[in-house]
Amino acid sequence: MSSLPVDSSVKTPAHPATVLLDAQASTQRLPVCDHYSGVELRMRKSLELQAEMTQEFGTCVFDVTLDCEDGAPVGDEAAHARLVAELARESAPEARVAARVHAVDHPAFAEDMATIVGEASHRLSYIMVPKVESVDDVLLAEKALERASGGHLPLHVLIESPAAVYRAFEIAAHPRVQSISFGLMDFVSAHGGAIPGSAMGVQGQFEHPLVVRAKLEIAAACHAHGKVPSHCVVTEFKDPDRMQAAASRAAREFGYTRMWSIHPGQIRSILTAFAPAQPEIDQAAQILLSAAEVHWAPISADGVLHDRASYRYYWQLLERAHQTGRSLPASVQPWFAASSFS
């Protein structure tokens, strides 16, 4: 039986991520919220909440980072590392779980890495390294990963000093680094009283010039190298309105695409602040569907010209909507049917 002739003029629709995300817009996709817990009961509850919200939203909307740096009792760091490794190993297959180890110059760092990465690297999404001062610290952490058979894991790093902020672009350029977080409290403390304590608060951290400069420098470094900038904590966790306002400023004014949570009550505020509004989602879907019909050639929509530069923006907006569990128009849902965070 002869086969039917193939019409070579018919093109298979290309996926937006394939067409639009070139080297200048290669920021990796991560959930917009990174939730920290270090006490055993809270770590277990955090993983349970992650599973519940994954079922609610249909995708994993926040990471759980199990904390050794602040969570481990002094003198009992080894036991805490074993607990973190156990929790990671026992987490659900769809869970996104990570660990914050001690700083590279801390006596417990090597054992943290050997235990947690050595026993649970197959379940970890990344390792967070605090108090990174330079690329040399990243290299030390990378070697520790490789010794523990965790060479496949990305590193998230925490910048907490003026010197580290100065080196932010060099740190962001390292291929193992996936995300950089800003450590507000230590950064303020590192100035010997030159920055007032009010700069650690929910309002002052967006106003003091040195803090603002540091936040912008980290965000710019990340975007320059396709990495994820993660905003610092807000310690006033009992006021959801102030929390959401701070998260909105981090996202809209400072260029951050991810934020820390230190209390379960902060997670939904972060999701809401980082999520696009429904009219934005609908507009993005309409423009991208029209663009796909003409194989990503320029189009006019409502009297406005669009091409691949704006298509990229609208695709990233839809990705952020997906990451925050927002409802997507049925017409674009196939683009996300097999989507997963990397």
Side-chain angles (χ1 to χ4, degrees), residues 175-245:
R176 180 75 64 173
V177 173
Q178 185 181 52
S179 175
I180 298 180
S181 296
F182 176 52
L184 171 65
M185 310 302 177
D186 282 283
F187 179 81
V188 171
S189 299
H191 285 76
I195 301 178
S198 59
M200 294 187 285
V202 67
Q203 182 173 343
Q205 65 172 281
F206 292 102
E207 296 175 349
H208 193 282
L210 286 174
V211 176
V212 168
R213 174 180 174 272
K215 288 185 180 187
L216 294 176
E217 196 77 2
I218 290 169
C222 285
H223 290 300
H225 293 287
K227 309 301 172 69
V228 177
S230 187
H231 194 267
C232 57
V233 300
V234 169
T235 55
E236 297 93 331
F237 61 84
K238 291 187 177 181
D239 189 334
D241 291 336
R242 296 186 78 189
M243 174 66 205
Q244 187 167 326

Side-chain angles (χ1 to χ4, degrees), residues 41-181:
L41 178 61
R42 293 172 186 167
M43 290 192 289
R44 293 186 183 278
K45 286 186 174 181
S46 296
L47 290 168
E48 291 171 2
L49 179 61
Q50 185 190 60
E52 292 169 6
M53 291 183 67
T54 296
Q55 185 173 10
E56 175 186 349
F57 287 100
T59 188
C60 183
V61 291
F62 70 93
D63 286 340
V64 172
T65 299
L66 307 175
D67 188 18
C68 292
E69 186 189 25
D70 292 334
V74 176
D76 207 14
E77 290 88 354
H80 192 80
R82 290 193 295 271
L83 171 63
V84 166
E86 176 186 344
L87 292 174
R89 287 198 312 270
E90 295 176 353
S91 62
E94 66 276 10
R96 282 188 51 87
V97 59
R100 176 166 71 164
V101 297
H102 287 85
V104 296
D105 59 354
H106 191 281
F109 170 76
E111 190 165 5
D112 279 354
M113 295 290 277
T115 300
I116 298 169
V117 177
E119 296 181 11
S121 65
H122 62 293
R123 291 297 304 119
L124 294 170
S125 296
Y126 54 87
I127 288 290
M128 164 62 77
V129 182
K131 295 179 172 58
V132 167
E133 288 292 310
S134 68
V135 174
D136 289 341
D137 290 344
V138 176
L139 294 173
L140 288 172
E142 183 177 43
K143 289 178 181 177
L145 278 179
E146 293 169 351
R147 284 195 298 269
S149 300
H152 61 287
L153 289 174
L155 290 172
H156 290 199
V157 303
L158 184 55
I159 284 182
E160 306 177 67
S161 75
V165 170
Y166 175 76
R167 303 182 185 107
F169 279 80
E170 296 175 11
I171 293 169
H174 192 284
R176 180 75 64 173
V177 173
Q178 185 181 52
S179 175
I180 298 180
S181 296

Side-chain angles (χ1 to χ4, degrees), residues 269-282:
S269 294
I270 293 172
L271 293 179
T272 300
F274 278 79
Q278 193 61 47
E280 293 178 302
I281 297 171
D282 295 338

